[in-house]
Amino acid sequence: MVSNSRLLGVSCFFVILFLMAMSASAHHSFAMYDHTRTLTLKGAVTKFQWTNPHAYIELDVADAKGALTHYSIECTSINMMQRNGWRSNMIKAGDMVKAIIAPLNSGQPGGLLLEVTLPNGKTLEPGVPAANTFKRTPEQD
């Protein structure tokens, strides 16, 4: 016969394992982004966060009247970005870049980086595993 404490211990183990699996699968979901379109943004980098689990580019984009909108752009993991040629010092605050993003479904100013063009004209992709599921829409300058 199995003791109550052993049964409780085994049950707790499986609950923890289940919760860890749910957390991991939710973390890597791209469901919060609109897969049907892209946005092309041109603006000034305010911050480049080379952090785990994902890097971020903070970007100020001016509209036709000069009003700024701040975008928070999620990248993939820095390991994946390094495999695609990225380095932590490639983007600096003040750099003017062009970023193609998959926008947030919520309509908030942010998205998932699909491609960035640096001030020197070099284009980089962050290595988004699901990038081929995003429909690229024509640029609107």
Side-chain angles (χ1 to χ4, degrees):
M1 184 159 143
V2 177
S3 71
N4 284 342
S5 62
R6 181 154 172 87
L7 185 59
L8 180 63
V10 170
S11 297
C12 286
F13 171 78
F14 281 109
V15 167
I16 290 169
L17 186 64
F18 174 75
L19 291 174
M20 287 172 53
M22 291 298 291
S23 174
S25 67
H27 173 76
H28 293 285
S29 172
F30 292 112
M32 67 177 67
Y33 302 107
D34 185 345
H35 293 250
T36 65
R37 64 190 183 98
T38 58
L39 290 178
T40 300
L41 306 172
K42 295 177 184 175
V45 174
T46 60
K47 188 175 186 180
F48 180 46
Q49 300 176 35
W50 188 257
T51 56
N52 275 316
H54 294 212
Y56 281 85
I57 298 172
E58 303 294 329
L59 191 67
D60 282 344
V61 178
D63 67 13
K65 296 179 181 178
L68 291 180
T69 302
H70 182 78
Y71 284 81
S72 183
I73 303 169
E74 182 177 2
C75 305
T76 56
S77 73
I78 59 175
N79 290 336
M80 191 174 293
M81 293 170 71
Q82 285 176 321
R83 286 192 292 265
N84 284 333
W86 287 70
R87 299 294 172 259
S88 62
N89 61 355
M90 293 181 107
I91 298 177
K92 297 170 195 63
D95 284 352
M96 295 300 292
V97 300
K98 179 177 95 170
I100 299 174
I101 67 167
L104 287 165
N105 285 323
S106 68
Q108 295 296 312
L112 178 66
L113 184 70
L114 302 175
E115 179 181 294
V116 67
T117 303
L118 303 176
N120 65 6
K122 183 175 183 172
T123 299
L124 293 169
E125 294 181 4
V128 175
N132 59 348
T133 66
F134 292 93
K135 181 181 177 194
R136 301 274 176 129
T137 50
E139 286 187 33
Q140 296 176 351
D141 292 323

